[in-house]
Amino acid sequence: MAPEREYYRWTVCAVIVLLIALCAAHMTDRPASSHPHRKTSVLKMDEASLSVINEIEDDMMLYVLSDHCFQCLPQLLGIIPARPASGTPTMVGFVVDTQHALTLQLNSTSAHSEQCKVHFHFGEQGNYSLWVKNLNEPSRVNCSMIIDSEPINSYLPILFAFLLFAFLAALSAIWNTVKRLDVVTNLLLCLGSTVETERLINSELGTPNRLIDASTESIIPATAGRRLRSLDTFRGLSLVIMVFVNYGGGGYWFFRHESWNGLTVADLVFPWFVFIMGTSVGLSLSGSLRRGVKHTHLLWRIFWRSFQLFLIGVIIINPNYCSGPLSWDSFRIPGVLQRLGFTYLVVAVLDLVVSRDRLNNILSSETWYSVHDVCLYWPAWVFVIALETIWLCLTFLLPVPACPTGYLGPGGIGDFGQYQNCTGGAAGYIDRWLLRDNHIYQTPSSRVVYQTMMPFDPEGVLGTINSILMAFLGLQAGKILLHYRDQHRQIITRFLIWGFILGIISAALTKCSRNDGFIPVNKNLWSLSYVTTLSCFAFVALVFFYYSVDVKKWWSGAPFFYPGKHFKSEVPELIWLCHLRVETYNLQ
């Protein structure tokens, strides 16, 4: 490997380690309170200390409701005893969440009525006091929030790491500009020749002819092949994000999967890999067909690779190993590798059936020439649209016992607790009916906020249809690259058009909101809006990478290019093996 490539690979490793180290250093323990009358405890990340001081001669019940919990009922946090008739106020300490704003509600146990309500966003590792007292009128209760000790700024480590990375990137850009100067080039040539000459003299090996090769090797880049650097860079970026997320993301909530509707950084990785897999399938199969590889051989390779992925996912990377030896009565059947394997099988076979050995030379005068990259593969589009129609019909028309038809909610305490056992609606019902409760994921991310008790698998059967759609949209990006090879303006224009169309579809489906749309963005369900939104992001990201890396060559793609290049081009087996190793942590 060339020294420059080795340097960039070590750079990306160092940056990842630095980010993890900085975030880990942030996770320091802090006493819950310095108040002399409070019991001292240790606060963790995303926690704050709250002391409720009751000056009323009546027991109070404290309820809490997170702004992030959509249509939820307030949950009882604790009871604060009444103040003695002639004594000091009573005080009870609680640990509260700081990820999102909370609504605190105090109810009287005797009157069974709301006494006061406070909406507040607590700061991480801060200490707060909520004073409950009567005003001049005994029937009027006042609640006052007081900050005893200021919270910490938990985002400083990320800011510092970003600034350091930006500084290193700027330093690298300056060096790349400076070393192109003739003076610097000649100096590097002289230094390289001198070092090589001394090495040859000392070792008494080689001939003087090697001086030219060795000296010019560092300043004359190797001839680049047809490999698309922008795609490798996009893949490498996704890989770096995945590694950071899998190892805890410093404990930050936005590096964990969303509990139900919405998006976090962790929710970008899997669909982007599926999209890139689709793009790579199109490029790889087209190259194989041009080289004269038989369809039967390609078909066998596709089936064998898919079978390997499914087998590895079920037997070797099954998360039930975390609970002890794998039991055939409770092992999980769906999974990330299983979904990748099946998605790859469908999309690759579909592309192999409709692809041609050589791309047709369509006359530009044809009325449908501007969309020939779509029209030439109309049977595949018909198949995918039919699959999506099946998903829509099953999701919104399938009757689910004891649940409303078309339900997309989390169940649990969501929707005011009316549908506690309806987690995922039709998607959850199909998995539980087809695979049984013991063979799907037992601790979904919806448990964190919505306290759901039903098992639900984010890689379930129904969501696989939309992962096929995601890979197929990636395949369409590959077709654009093939049909408009070296026509940069055409490629960028079509990427932007696809991004715009998918963005409009997402806006219509979600009504530009997290919970109020027809089909909210939901990673657990792999909803249609989730696929269109992430595909929109992927097309826009490809425009950026393609223009800056492959067209203008402002950026070599380093350091992300190198992990992306040395990655399986069609299906990311090894990387997702690493992903599955800590998948349980991410979902919880």
Side-chain angles (χ1 to χ4, degrees):
M1 179 179 292
E4 184 184 6
R5 295 184 180 182
E6 187 69 25
Y7 164 76
Y8 279 121
R9 291 190 69 182
W10 280 106
T11 300
V12 69
C13 294
V15 170
I16 294 173
V17 171
L18 176 63
L19 286 172
I20 296 175
L22 286 172
C23 294
H26 157 68
M27 298 173 65
T28 54
D29 295 337
R30 177 174 175 175
S33 173
S34 57
H35 197 285
H37 300 290
R38 300 178 190 171
K39 183 183 292 184
T40 301
S41 60
V42 177
L43 292 174
K44 300 178 182 178
M45 198 168 185
D46 295 325
E47 290 183 349
S49 173
L50 172 65
S51 296
V52 182
I53 303 171
N54 187 9
E55 294 187 358
I56 301 177
E57 296 179 1
D58 192 3
D59 292 344
M60 306 294 289
M61 294 184 296
L62 177 63
Y63 291 86
V64 63
L65 175 63
S66 171
D67 285 2
H68 200 61
C69 193
F70 181 64
Q71 292 183 342
C72 295
L73 294 172
Q75 300 298 301
L76 179 64
L77 190 60
I79 298 178
I80 302 94
R83 187 195 70 176
S86 58
T88 59
T90 58
M91 180 180 62
V92 178
F94 302 96
V95 175
V96 292
D97 183 76
T98 63
Q99 295 181 15
H100 306 282
L102 302 177
T103 298
L104 304 176
Q105 177 179 319
L106 283 164
N107 292 359
S108 171
T109 57
S110 60
H112 300 286
S113 61
E114 176 186 322
Q115 298 297 311
C116 66
K117 183 181 292 185
V118 177
H119 185 264
F120 195 78
H121 195 164
F122 294 92
E124 185 172 328
Q125 296 190 5
N127 290 308
Y128 302 86
S129 294
L130 179 62
W131 288 79
V132 185
K133 59 182 70 175
N134 283 325
L135 296 178
N136 295 331
E137 301 179 15
S139 60
R140 295 184 60 188
V141 176
N142 175 260
C143 296
S144 302
M145 185 71 70
I146 298 175
I147 302 176
D148 296 326
S149 63
E150 292 292 336
I152 65 173
N153 189 343
S154 60
Y155 301 105
L156 285 178
I158 289 184
L159 177 63
F160 176 76
F162 174 78
L163 292 177
L164 181 60
F165 183 80
F167 172 75
L168 293 175
L171 202 63
S172 175
I174 293 172
W175 167 246
N176 289 333
T177 303
V178 169
K179 73 178 183 180
R180 293 191 186 100
L181 300 175
D182 293 338
V183 177
V184 178
T185 301
N186 294 332
L187 179 61
L188 292 176
L189 183 63
C190 293
L191 291 176
S193 300
T194 304
V195 172
E196 183 67 12
T197 301
E198 291 179 356
R199 189 186 69 81
L200 292 173
I201 293 174
N202 293 333
S203 62
E204 297 182 357
L205 295 174
T207 62
N209 292 335
R210 293 182 59 189
L211 296 176
I212 299 177
D213 297 336
S215 60
T216 57
E217 184 181 3
S218 61
I219 58 175
I220 301 178
T223 303
R226 297 298 299 174
R227 192 175 182 95
L228 197 65
R229 293 185 69 94
S230 55
L231 188 63
D232 288 331
T233 303
F234 189 19
R235 185 188 292 113
L237 174 64
S238 301
L239 170 62
V240 171
I241 295 175
M242 185 201 69
V243 171
F244 186 56
V245 167
N246 281 355
Y247 283 91
Y252 292 96
W253 64 268
F254 46 81
F255 285 123
R256 294 194 291 267
H257 289 298
E258 184 59 80
S259 183
W260 199 248
N261 295 335
L263 278 178
T264 64
V265 176
D267 297 324
L268 306 178
V269 180
F270 191 9
W272 277 357
F273 269 117
V274 173
F275 184 92
I276 295 169
M277 180 182 71
T279 306
S280 300
V281 163
L283 300 177
S284 175
L285 289 181
S286 176
S288 298
L289 291 173
R290 286 199 306 270
R291 292 193 301 270
V293 181
K294 294 181 178 180
H295 281 68
T296 53
H297 176 73
L298 291 175
L299 193 62
W300 164 250
R301 192 170 68 181
I302 291 169
F303 273 101
W304 176 241
R305 186 184 294 268
S306 302
F307 176 73
Q308 283 180 309
L309 282 173
F310 190 87
L311 198 64
I312 292 173
V314 170
I315 297 179
I316 301 179
I317 316 297
N318 201 298
N320 283 23
Y321 280 123
C322 299
S323 305
L326 186 64
S327 172
W328 294 107
D329 296 329
S330 61
F331 73 96
R332 181 190 179 195
I333 296 176
V336 172
L337 283 180
Q338 295 91 308
R339 173 169 287 187
L340 278 173
F342 188 77
T343 301
Y344 169 73
L345 174 65
V346 174
V347 174
V349 171
L350 190 63
D351 186 46
L352 187 62
V353 170
V354 301
S355 287
R356 302 153 188 242
D357 296 350
R358 292 180 177 81
L359 299 178
N360 290 359
N361 295 321
I362 307 298
L363 296 177
S364 58
S365 58
E366 296 285 350
T367 56
W368 50 279
Y369 176 77
S370 58
V371 290
H372 74 278
D373 53 301
V374 175
C375 293
L376 287 176
Y377 308 100
W378 67 265
W381 279 100
V382 171
F383 178 82
V384 171
I385 292 174
L387 276 181
E388 196 57 38
T389 304
I390 293 174
W391 182 87
L392 289 170
C393 291
L394 289 175
T395 300
F396 292 102
L397 300 179
L398 180 69
V400 179
C403 301
T405 303
Y407 182 69
L408 298 175
I413 64 173
D415 300 295
F416 306 111
Q418 300 178 76
Y419 315 114
Q420 296 185 15
N421 298 326
C422 296
T423 303
Y429 174 69
I430 290 174
D431 288 340
R432 291 189 291 270
W433 172 76
L434 186 63
L435 305 174
R436 303 305 178 189
D437 290 3
N438 292 338
H439 299 298
I440 61 178
Y441 199 64
Q442 300 297 310
T443 55
S445 58
S446 55
R447 286 197 174 192
V448 177
V449 173
Y450 293 95
Q451 303 177 22
T452 57
M453 303 305 295
M454 295 294 291
F456 179 83
D457 207 305
E459 279 76 48
V461 176
L462 200 55
T464 304
I465 294 177
N466 281 338
S467 68
I468 292 172
L469 173 63
M470 185 86 191
F472 186 76
L473 291 171
L475 179 65
Q476 180 60 34
K479 296 302 182 185
I480 293 173
L481 292 167
L482 289 171
H483 282 272
Y484 301 97
R485 186 185 297 269
D486 297 327
Q487 300 179 46
H488 304 313
R489 183 183 296 272
Q490 295 287 348
I491 291 174
I492 291 174
T493 300
R494 278 161 174 76
F495 281 173
L496 289 176
I497 290 174
W498 272 108
F500 177 77
I501 293 173
L502 292 168
I504 292 297
I505 294 174
S506 297
L509 293 175
T510 63
K511 297 182 180 180
C512 299
S513 66
R514 186 166 68 94
N515 295 303
D516 298 326
F518 301 107
I519 304 179
V521 174
N522 190 297
K523 187 264 179 188
N524 287 282
L525 296 173
W526 268 72
S527 63
L528 178 58
S529 59
Y530 177 70
V531 171
T532 55
T533 301
L534 271 297
S535 297
C536 170
F537 292 169
F539 273 110
V540 173
L542 268 182
V543 169
F544 169 76
F545 290 124
Y546 183 77
Y547 186 74
S548 60
V549 175
D550 287 320
V551 179
K552 291 298 184 180
K553 303 188 186 304
W554 292 333
W555 178 29
S556 66
F560 305 117
F561 168 73
Y562 298 107
K565 178 181 178 182
H566 299 288
F567 192 56
K568 296 294 290 184
S569 60
E570 293 178 2
V571 180
E573 299 100 328
L574 296 179
I575 298 303
W576 281 107
L577 290 180
C578 299
H579 172 79
L580 257 287
R581 194 167 70 86
V582 287
E583 181 191 12
T584 302
Y585 172 83
N586 287 336
L587 290 175
Q588 293 177 344

